[in-house]
């Protein structure tokens, strides 16, 4: 479960982490009156369950209450990566000297918690991670032992944090770890952890994701759950249509199949082939023509989708019927993109013949790996994200 920045800030503050103060507004009038109360420059920040708000225009400075009204009007109602902004945080603006990235998350490969620290924090952290990973210090923490003081020092030395801030920052790292473990978080991130021009270390953003399986014992956090708040507009529409669909914004390959396990595996295999999955879509046990058509329409809503990989395990399902259905549906789809179809099961030779001879960019694949490679070949690798 994701929580909003203002909720995460409250949580971090309760662990003693210093943040700039602020309040939530749902209308421009409220934003104006909060700004008047603060009495100096404020920052107006969209509160949505997604990152990258700054780049999307969802974070703006306002010098006075009238400007706060204006900036809040612009941000409220804005769409950020499929999420509509219904509230903003109005916070005391800070004079930034340096932006640090600090986070804790789980490293599944290492069966550990990982502390991540970088002096090159801020809105371009993904770019830093991709092009200069050496600027990011990572320290693995055995969860049964907990974070040790030497590990905090190690991270600060590796990240080349100026020594004069070690004490304040070390304290924040220790407290963030307590907050992370104490709230059963999967991710706790402060980006930026700001060193102000007058030398204070302050959290001016906060992002937390709580492990859903632990919510039974996180009763206070459970109260922050908002129905549908984790869903973007694509997911909401798909849900209304009765589809099992999860969106992965930024990807370029639509993914569909029958059975959740098969679809998840398909996503992994496409990723391994160098592609970037845009979604998860499960047709359910039987891939009927109507179901397949409805699913393809939902996938194609995102203009980033440049091709689709359908992976159907036929079993006793007649794969020739599925193939025919896809061929017939193809021309009625809102956009015609290449589709690779892996069909295995009853009458698959006939399914292959139907696809080979249909005169449309529908490509038969005999195996999941072949299909993943084919779709990536057809449309390219796409964005690195997702
Ligand atoms: P995100 O883009 O969703 O991660 O939102 P952030 O809260 O991290 O804000 C994005 C960027 O806006 C930060 O990296 C800062 O550069 C800038 N920003 C945020 N708060 C302030 C502030 O109080 N003062 C100033 N000068 N810049 C801010
Ligand atoms: Mn941020």
């Amino acid at each position: 479960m994701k929580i909003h920045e203002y909720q995460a800030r409250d949580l971090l503050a309760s662990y003693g982490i210093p943040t700039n103060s602020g309040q939530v507004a749902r209308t421009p009038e409220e934003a104006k009156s909060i700004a008047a109360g603060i009495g100096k420059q404020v920052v107006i920040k969209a509160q949505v369950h997604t990152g990258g708000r700054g780049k999307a225009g969802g974070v703006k400075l306002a010098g006075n209450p009238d400007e706060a009204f204006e900036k809040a009007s612009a941000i409220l109602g804005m769409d950020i990566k499929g999420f509509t902004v219904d509230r903003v945080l109005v916070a005391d603006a800070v004079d930034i000297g340096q932006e640090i990235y600090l986070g804790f998350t789980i490293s599944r490969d290492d069966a550990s918690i990982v502390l991540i620290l970088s002096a090159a924090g801020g809105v371009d952290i993904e770019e830093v991670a991709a092009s200069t990973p050496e600027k990011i210090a990572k320290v693995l923490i055995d969860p049964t032992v907990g974070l040790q003081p030497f590990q905090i020092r190690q991270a600060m030395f590796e990240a080349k944090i100026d020594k004069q801030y070690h004490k304040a920052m070390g304290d924040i790292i220790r407290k963030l770890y307590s907050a992370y473990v104490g709230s059963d978080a999967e991710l706790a991130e402060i980006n930026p952890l700001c060193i102000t021009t007058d030398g204070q270390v302050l959290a001016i953003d906060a992002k937390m994701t709580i492990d859903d399986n632990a919510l039974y014992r996180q009763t206070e956090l459970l109260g922050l759950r908002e129905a549908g708040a984790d869903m973007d507009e694509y997911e909401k529409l798909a849900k209304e249509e009765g589809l099992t669909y999860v969106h992965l914004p930024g990807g370029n390959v639509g993914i569909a199949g029958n059975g959740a396990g098969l679809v998840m595996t398909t996503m992994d295999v496409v990723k391994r082939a160098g592609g970037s999955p845009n979604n998860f879509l499960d047709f359910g046990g039987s891939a009927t023509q109507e179901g397949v058509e409805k699913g393809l329409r939902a996938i194609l809503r995102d203009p980033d989708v440049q091709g689709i990989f359908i992976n159907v395990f036929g079993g006793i399902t007649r794969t020739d019927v599925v193939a025919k259905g896809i061929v017939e549906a193809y021309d009625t789809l809102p956009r015609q993109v290449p589709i690779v179809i892996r069909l295995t099961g009853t009458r698959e030779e006939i399914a292959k013949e139907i696809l080979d001879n249909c005169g449309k960019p529908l490509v038969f694949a005999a195996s999941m790996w072949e299909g993943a490679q084919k779709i990536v070949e057809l449309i390219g690798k796409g964005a690195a994200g997702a």
Side-chain angles (χ1 to χ4, degrees):
M1 180 185 80
K2 289 180 179 165
I3 61 175
H4 286 294
E5 175 194 355
Y6 69 93
Q7 298 163 336
R9 278 167 174 260
D10 285 349
L11 195 142
L12 298 188
S14 75
Y15 281 86
I17 294 174
T19 68
N20 52 336
S21 59
Q23 273 175 270
V24 173
R26 289 179 186 264
T27 62
E29 290 77 13
E30 275 173 32
K32 182 177 172 175
S33 91
I34 297 166
I38 292 174
K40 55 185 274 288
Q41 192 184 45
V42 293
V43 56
I44 315 265
K45 311 180 72 181
Q47 299 296 291
V48 277
H49 283 151
T50 184
R53 298 161 304 162
K55 285 197 168 167
V59 177
K60 290 185 178 7
L61 293 167
N64 58 54
D66 286 330
E67 227 183 292
F69 182 94
E70 207 181 289
K71 300 284 163 70
S73 309
I75 296 173
L76 285 162
M78 186 184 260
D79 175 282
I80 300 181
K81 296 185 190 166
F83 293 89
T84 307
V85 182
D86 69 353
R87 74 204 95 154
V88 291
L89 174 70
V90 183
D92 194 348
V94 165
D95 290 327
I96 299 178
Q98 197 186 352
E99 300 193 33
I100 310 286
Y101 177 98
L102 166 63
F104 286 98
T105 190
I106 294 160
S107 171
R108 292 180 201 281
D109 287 347
D110 302 297
S112 296
I113 295 171
V114 57
L115 159 60
I116 306 169
L117 185 67
S118 176
V123 294
D124 289 321
I125 190 69
E126 278 88 6
E127 172 59 27
V128 173
S131 56
T132 47
E134 68 281 1
K135 288 191 180 165
I136 300 182
K138 291 185 179 171
V139 178
L140 295 177
I141 302 149
D142 181 335
T144 60
V145 179
L147 176 65
Q148 301 298 303
F150 78 87
Q151 295 177 306
I152 298 177
R153 289 194 294 275
Q154 184 189 338
M156 291 192 295
F157 277 111
E158 278 177 23
K160 301 195 170 67
I161 302 292
D162 193 330
K163 266 216 174 125
Q164 70 180 113
Y165 304 115
H166 278 205
K167 190 165 180 302
M169 199 173 293
D171 197 43
I172 291 172
I173 295 173
R174 188 174 52 78
K175 287 171 175 165
L176 185 63
Y177 183 77
S178 300
Y180 179 82
V181 174
S183 54
D184 289 311
E186 288 173 346
L187 170 76
E189 184 185 273
I190 302 176
N191 183 34
L193 177 64
C194 164
I195 300 178
T196 63
T197 46
D198 59 359
Q200 290 181 70
V201 187
L202 274 186
I204 65 166
D205 188 15
K207 189 169 172 185
M208 289 189 82
T209 308
I210 312 299
D211 183 348
D212 288 329
N213 296 313
L215 285 174
Y216 74 95
R217 62 181 190 189
Q218 294 289 340
T219 42
E220 262 179 53
L221 292 171
L222 194 55
L224 304 179
R225 170 172 265 172
E226 293 166 26
D230 281 355
M231 277 191 276
D232 72 11
E233 298 303 324
Y234 296 99
E235 291 170 333
K236 282 183 190 159
L237 280 169
K239 191 175 180 191
E240 280 167 22
E241 294 165 346
L243 294 167
T244 310
Y245 168 93
V246 180
H247 192 207
L248 294 161
N252 64 340
V253 186
I255 310 276
N258 57 341
L262 183 65
V263 178
M264 284 194 279
T265 309
T266 308
M267 294 166 76
D268 287 349
V269 170
V270 165
K271 186 104 194 174
R272 176 163 291 182
S276 178
N278 179 278
N279 71 283
F280 165 100
L281 183 110
D282 182 4
F283 292 133
S286 62
T288 63
Q289 184 175 336
E290 301 78 53
V292 169
E293 198 178 323
K294 198 158 78 169
L296 294 180
R297 285 177 181 280
I299 290 174
L300 286 167
R301 279 200 188 105
D302 183 341
D304 287 347
V305 172
Q306 291 155 16
I308 300 175
F309 180 22
I310 303 177
N311 189 357
V312 170
F313 182 77
I316 56 168
T317 302
R318 291 257 312 263
T319 61
D320 56 329
V321 175
V322 176
K324 229 191 211 148
I326 297 170
V327 172
E328 273 164 25
Y330 192 75
D331 291 329
T332 75
L333 293 173
R335 292 192 286 132
Q336 276 64 43
V337 299
I339 303 182
V340 174
I341 304 145
R342 180 246 180 169
L343 281 169
T344 187
T346 307
R347 292 163 65 102
E348 63 184 60
E349 326 69 46
I350 302 174
K352 177 177 180 345
E353 243 176 68
I354 293 171
L355 294 174
D356 286 349
N357 300 318
C358 70
K360 306 178 198 301
L362 298 174
V363 181
F364 179 87
S367 74
M368 176 152 31
W369 180 232
E370 183 189 315
Q373 287 177 304
K374 278 188 175 165
I375 194 68
V376 173
E377 242 169 62
L378 282 167
I379 66 173
K381 299 202 175 204

